[in-house]
Amino acid sequence: MRCGNKALHAALAISLLLTQPTAFAARPMITDDARTVDAKACQVESWVRTNHGSREYWALPACNFTGNLELTFGGARTADATGTHATDIVLQGKTLFKTLEPNGWSVGLVAGGIRHPADGKSVSELYSYVPASFSYFNDKMVLHTNVGTLHNTLNSSTRGTWGIGSETSFAENTWFIAEAFRQKSGRPFFQAGVRHWIVPNHVQIDATYGNRFGTASNERWFSIGVRLITPAFLP
């Protein structure tokens, strides 16, 4: 999650609460990158995801207070046949062991917890994973991999998770993104789309389509989102 050094003298208000697959990535991907927002800077990733029979409204604010610890706290409200209600609340921490440079690689560690208010538990799921990123052609193509675990506190079950994704530049400030990931039982999911920097390193928009491999349209989704990144401003 990169943040440039250009000045855009505004501090973003961090607001709102969060539901979707469990590992939260650089929007709109589920497969996370081994990058963080710049030291002393913040970002807000927000989007609308339309599913079969429901619509999710997301906001994921994150800040890097120390230089190598990005904290995310956010959530979603979902509108379905039962009404509109908060569906997930997430707290996540992310650190890097090696930072990404052009034609290089990076690796980190992510851990977090999720609360589903309808469950009545303080923590519904706990997760952790190792994100790794690999840069090619002077950052024109970047591959991401995730390997981790997800623990469900409701039934005391633990399962492995994985993801592999890519972002490829095909025009100035415009990227094609694609991924495959598995966080639930059954066949893996895929997602593909486009994202574009309106203001490089500060304002980004995206649109994606996703589904489960080999299934009908009832599991597909569409999303459209915006990502806002501040310059460094935290004390």
Side-chain angles (χ1 to χ4, degrees), residues 146-164:
N146 293 177
V147 177
T149 61
L150 174 65
H151 177 72
N152 188 319
T153 64
L154 298 178
N155 55 25
S156 298
S157 65
T158 301
R159 64 175 180 268
T161 62
W162 61 264
I164 181 168

Side-chain angles (χ1 to χ4, degrees), residues 105-219:
W105 60 278
S106 59
V107 65
L109 177 66
V110 177
I114 305 172
R115 178 175 181 261
H116 307 299
D119 294 341
K121 299 197 68 172
S122 57
V123 179
S124 303
E125 294 175 297
L126 295 170
Y127 64 91
S128 63
Y129 57 91
V130 174
S133 297
F134 306 87
S135 169
Y136 302 94
F137 311 113
N138 294 317
D139 282 347
K140 294 296 183 182
M141 181 178 182
V142 185
L143 297 180
H144 309 293
T145 63
N146 293 177
V147 177
T149 61
L150 174 65
H151 177 72
N152 188 319
T153 64
L154 298 178
N155 55 25
S156 298
S157 65
T158 301
R159 64 175 180 268
T161 62
W162 61 264
I164 181 168
S166 66
E167 45 187 315
T168 305
S169 175
F170 66 89
E172 186 176 6
N173 298 323
T174 305
W175 299 74
F176 172 74
I177 53 179
E179 65 176 337
F181 59 93
R182 184 176 183 182
Q183 296 177 318
K184 300 179 179 179
S185 59
R187 295 178 178 179
F189 292 85
F190 69 88
Q191 184 174 205
V194 175
R195 67 186 186 191
H196 175 74
W197 288 103
I198 297 176
V199 179
N201 301 316
H202 289 295
V203 181
Q204 182 186 92
I205 57 174
D206 59 72
T208 67
Y209 166 81
N211 203 345
R212 190 192 291 263
F213 284 104
T215 61
S217 61
N218 62 340
E219 291 191 89

